[in-house]
Protein backbone atom coordinates (compact mmCIF):
# COMPACT_ATOMS: atom_id res chain seq x y z
CA UNK A 1 0.00 0.00 0.00
CA UNK A 2 1.35 3.43 -0.87
CA UNK A 3 -0.98 5.42 1.37
CA UNK A 4 -0.37 6.82 4.82
CA UNK A 5 -2.55 8.76 7.20
CA UNK A 6 -5.49 6.38 6.99
CA UNK A 7 -7.86 6.60 9.95
CA UNK A 8 -7.70 3.46 12.10
CA UNK A 9 -11.39 2.65 11.63
CA UNK A 10 -11.51 3.37 7.89
CA UNK A 11 -12.65 -0.07 6.69
CA UNK A 12 -15.58 -0.19 9.12
CA UNK A 13 -16.49 3.42 8.28
CA UNK A 14 -16.45 2.69 4.53
CA UNK A 15 -18.52 -0.46 4.90
CA UNK A 16 -21.15 1.44 6.88
CA UNK A 17 -21.27 4.30 4.35
CA UNK A 18 -21.42 2.28 1.11
CA UNK A 19 -23.97 3.38 -1.47
CA UNK A 20 -25.47 1.34 -4.31
CA UNK A 21 -22.12 0.80 -6.07
CA UNK A 22 -19.79 1.48 -3.14
CA UNK A 23 -18.13 4.37 -1.38
CA UNK A 24 -15.16 6.64 -2.13
CA UNK A 25 -13.02 8.63 0.31
CA UNK A 26 -12.96 12.41 0.50
CA UNK A 27 -10.19 13.85 2.70
CA UNK A 28 -8.86 17.31 3.56
CA UNK A 29 -7.42 17.56 0.02
CA UNK A 30 -10.60 16.47 -1.78
CA UNK A 31 -11.79 13.35 -3.56
CA UNK A 32 -9.49 10.32 -3.40
CA UNK A 33 -10.92 8.31 -6.31
CA UNK A 34 -8.67 5.27 -5.86
CA UNK A 35 -9.51 4.79 -2.19
CA UNK A 36 -12.85 3.18 -1.48
CA UNK A 37 -14.93 0.04 -1.43
CA UNK A 38 -16.59 -1.06 -4.66
CA UNK A 39 -19.29 -3.50 -5.68
CA UNK A 40 -17.27 -5.50 -8.20
CA UNK A 41 -20.05 -6.02 -10.76
CA UNK A 42 -20.76 -2.28 -11.01
CA UNK A 43 -17.06 -1.43 -11.10
CA UNK A 44 -16.33 -3.99 -13.83
CA UNK A 45 -19.22 -2.77 -15.99
CA UNK A 46 -18.27 0.91 -15.66
CA UNK A 47 -14.54 0.29 -16.11
CA UNK A 48 -15.07 -1.88 -19.20
CA UNK A 49 -17.33 0.75 -20.75
CA UNK A 50 -14.78 3.48 -20.08
CA UNK A 51 -11.82 1.50 -21.37
CA UNK A 52 -13.75 0.53 -24.51
CA UNK A 53 -14.32 4.26 -25.07
CA UNK A 54 -10.61 5.02 -24.57
CA UNK A 55 -11.08 6.65 -21.16
CA UNK A 56 -9.13 5.77 -18.04
CA UNK A 57 -9.40 8.64 -15.52
CA UNK A 58 -10.33 7.39 -12.04
CA UNK A 59 -12.39 10.52 -11.31
CA UNK A 60 -14.52 9.86 -14.39
CA UNK A 61 -15.00 6.27 -13.30
CA UNK A 62 -16.23 7.40 -9.88
CA UNK A 63 -18.63 9.82 -11.61
CA UNK A 64 -20.22 6.90 -13.51
CA UNK A 65 -20.94 4.95 -10.34
CA UNK A 66 -23.58 5.45 -7.68
CA UNK A 67 -21.17 5.78 -4.79
CA UNK A 68 -21.49 7.62 -1.54
CA UNK A 69 -18.64 9.75 -0.26
CA UNK A 70 -16.99 9.16 3.07
CA UNK A 71 -15.48 12.38 4.40
CA UNK A 72 -12.49 11.65 6.64
CA UNK A 73 -11.49 15.30 7.05
CA UNK A 74 -9.46 16.67 8.72
CA UNK A 75 -7.36 13.61 7.85
CA UNK A 76 -5.06 14.03 4.88
CA UNK A 77 -4.27 10.80 3.07
CA UNK A 78 -0.67 10.80 1.89
CA UNK A 79 0.14 9.18 -1.45
CA UNK A 80 3.67 7.81 -1.14
CA UNK A 81 4.86 6.87 -4.63
CA UNK A 82 8.39 8.26 -4.65
CA UNK A 83 11.10 8.85 -2.04
CA UNK A 84 10.44 12.60 -2.17
CA UNK A 85 6.79 11.96 -1.17
CA UNK A 86 7.84 10.74 2.27
CA UNK A 87 7.91 13.45 4.96
CA UNK A 88 11.29 14.07 6.56
CA UNK A 89 11.86 11.59 9.39
CA UNK A 90 9.01 9.34 8.15
CA UNK A 91 8.77 5.98 9.86
CA UNK A 92 5.85 3.66 9.05
Amino acid sequence: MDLDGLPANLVDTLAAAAGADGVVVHDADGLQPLLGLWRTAALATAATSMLDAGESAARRLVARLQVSRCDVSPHRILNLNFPHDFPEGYAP
Side-chain angles (χ1 to χ4, degrees):
M1 177 177 293
D2 67 346
L3 300 174
D4 191 37
L6 300 175
N9 63 342
L10 183 61
V11 172
D12 292 334
T13 301
L14 291 175
D21 294 335
V23 58
V24 65
V25 170
H26 188 275
D27 73 356
D29 290 327
L31 182 68
Q32 299 296 330
L34 298 179
L35 181 57
L37 292 178
W38 315 101
R39 304 220 187 276
T40 55
L43 181 63
T45 298
T48 298
S49 175
M50 280 186 62
L51 292 171
D52 287 348
E55 297 180 55
S56 60
R59 289 182 186 273
R60 294 183 105 179
L61 177 59
V62 168
R64 289 177 176 240
L65 297 168
Q66 294 178 27
V67 295
S68 57
R69 292 188 182 196
C70 181
D71 190 345
V72 298
S73 299
H75 287 283
R76 178 170 281 120
I77 309 298
L78 300 175
N79 191 355
L80 307 173
N81 291 323
F82 302 100
H84 67 267
D85 292 334
F86 290 80
E88 186 175 329
Y90 176 81

